Amino acid sequence: MALHVEDEGQGEPVVLAHAGVTDRRVWDAAVPVLVAAGYRVIRYDQPGYGLSPRPTGPHSLVADALDVLAATGVESVHWVGLSQGGATGVDVALAQSGRIRSLALVAPGMSGYDWPALPGREGRMAAWERHDGAGLALEMLRLWGPLSFDEAGRLRADDPAAAVVLDQADWFLQDEQEVEEPAAEPRLGEIAVPTLIVLGDRDVEPITDIGRRYEKGIRDAGLVMLSGADHLLPLRVPDQLHPLLLDHLSRARTARN
């Protein structure tokens, strides 16, 4: 499957991987910052998202990621992933450790995590059952991007997250196509690359739990909690997130040299 890939800049390669409720555009603000800092920035739409075609059957997010590395001709990369994109970076590091130079896990997911029921499940299920893609996308935004709404529950005008999430409406109605990867937590001690974990204080509790598990399981991992941010940190607090990423990447580059 030919995924949509964007490749900009020169220097050490950095992959920006998006969340399962967004496409590559969640990283729009980060790309020019990283390119200006001297990095080659690669981002892509996962199958079914953004400009990538829908999968024709089950597929592995790890295999998709490795296909992107092959398509761009890079052997190893610094991996920056949001949510599901973070989980994929960890899974790649566990599957082929030499392919990952460092990890920046932003509000990360985790393969094999035992998820509890999340707030608003009834509304999401009702939208699914009536095949209401727009309604389901709105409920997904309420869960993962509560800062998109005012105190009365109305979508804020000119919200930066709205288009990125709501544009996935048709895809949210499709059945899951991703192959389940092996549970990551039992093997986190195998990861020996510089790792940064960034969380938002307005995110759902399981994401905070996952972040703490990564901090505990990965050697010398560092965790930062940012205020005023829900799950969509690249859109909410770019001015706080970008310096953290640049410092992390600089330290990782120095450690390699």
Side-chain angles (χ1 to χ4, degrees):
M1 180 187 307
L3 301 181
H4 176 78
V5 179
E6 297 179 359
D7 188 349
E8 301 180 46
Q10 297 181 341
E12 291 202 16
V14 177
V15 167
L16 301 177
H18 66 78
V21 293
T22 76
D23 57 31
R24 75 196 183 287
R25 292 175 296 164
V26 75
W27 294 112
D28 276 356
V31 172
V33 171
L34 293 172
V35 169
Y39 294 97
R40 177 184 175 187
V41 182
I42 299 164
R43 59 177 173 164
Y44 65 102
D45 284 327
Q46 295 172 8
Y49 292 83
L51 299 178
S52 286
R54 291 183 178 179
T56 57
H59 63 99
S60 162
L61 296 180
V62 169
D64 293 337
L66 294 174
D67 285 347
V68 170
L69 300 192
T72 52
V74 294
E75 183 62 28
S76 63
V77 298
H78 300 281
W79 189 279
V80 180
L82 173 65
S83 191
Q84 181 175 273
T88 298
V90 170
D91 292 338
V92 172
L94 292 172
Q96 297 190 18
S97 60
R99 310 305 298 273
I100 299 296
R101 302 182 185 188
S102 71
L103 288 166
L105 309 176
V106 183
M110 177 187 283
S111 293
Y113 184 73
D114 186 14
W115 284 87
L118 295 173
R121 183 176 184 275
E122 290 184 1
R124 294 190 298 277
M125 289 302 298
W128 171 271
E129 289 170 359
R130 65 176 182 266
H131 208 67
D132 177 7
L136 178 55
L138 191 66
E139 294 304 314
M140 296 289 272
L141 183 59
R142 289 189 192 279
L143 173 63
W144 298 112
L147 295 177
S148 294
F149 300 87
D150 64 21
E151 294 181 355
R154 296 171 301 212
L155 186 63
R156 297 182 187 276
D158 301 320
D159 177 72
V164 180
V165 175
L166 299 182
D167 282 357
Q168 317 308 321
D170 289 344
W171 180 236
F172 288 152
L173 289 174
Q174 308 303 311
D175 292 330
E176 292 286 342
Q177 293 286 314
E178 294 90 3
V179 172
E180 185 174 353
E181 304 294 342
E185 190 168 18
R187 297 181 57 196
L188 293 180
E190 299 175 22
I191 296 177
V193 297
T195 300
L196 170 68
I197 303 152
V198 186
L199 305 175
D201 66 348
R202 298 287 301 276
D203 208 341
V204 298
E205 192 280 331
I207 294 295
T208 302
D209 180 50
I210 288 171
R212 298 294 185 192
R213 292 181 185 221
Y214 280 133
E215 180 187 28
K216 180 180 179 180
I218 298 175
R219 283 172 281 174
D220 300 322
L223 187 149
V224 179
M225 178 73 73
L226 297 182
S227 61
D230 53 26
H231 194 63
L232 305 174
L233 285 91
L235 300 173
R236 304 302 188 201
V237 288
D239 291 345
Q240 296 182 64
L241 179 61
H242 295 163
L244 289 173
L245 295 178
L246 290 173
D247 181 66
H248 164 70
L249 291 168
S250 177
R251 291 173 181 271
R253 183 164 54 182
T254 300
R256 284 176 56 86
N257 296 333

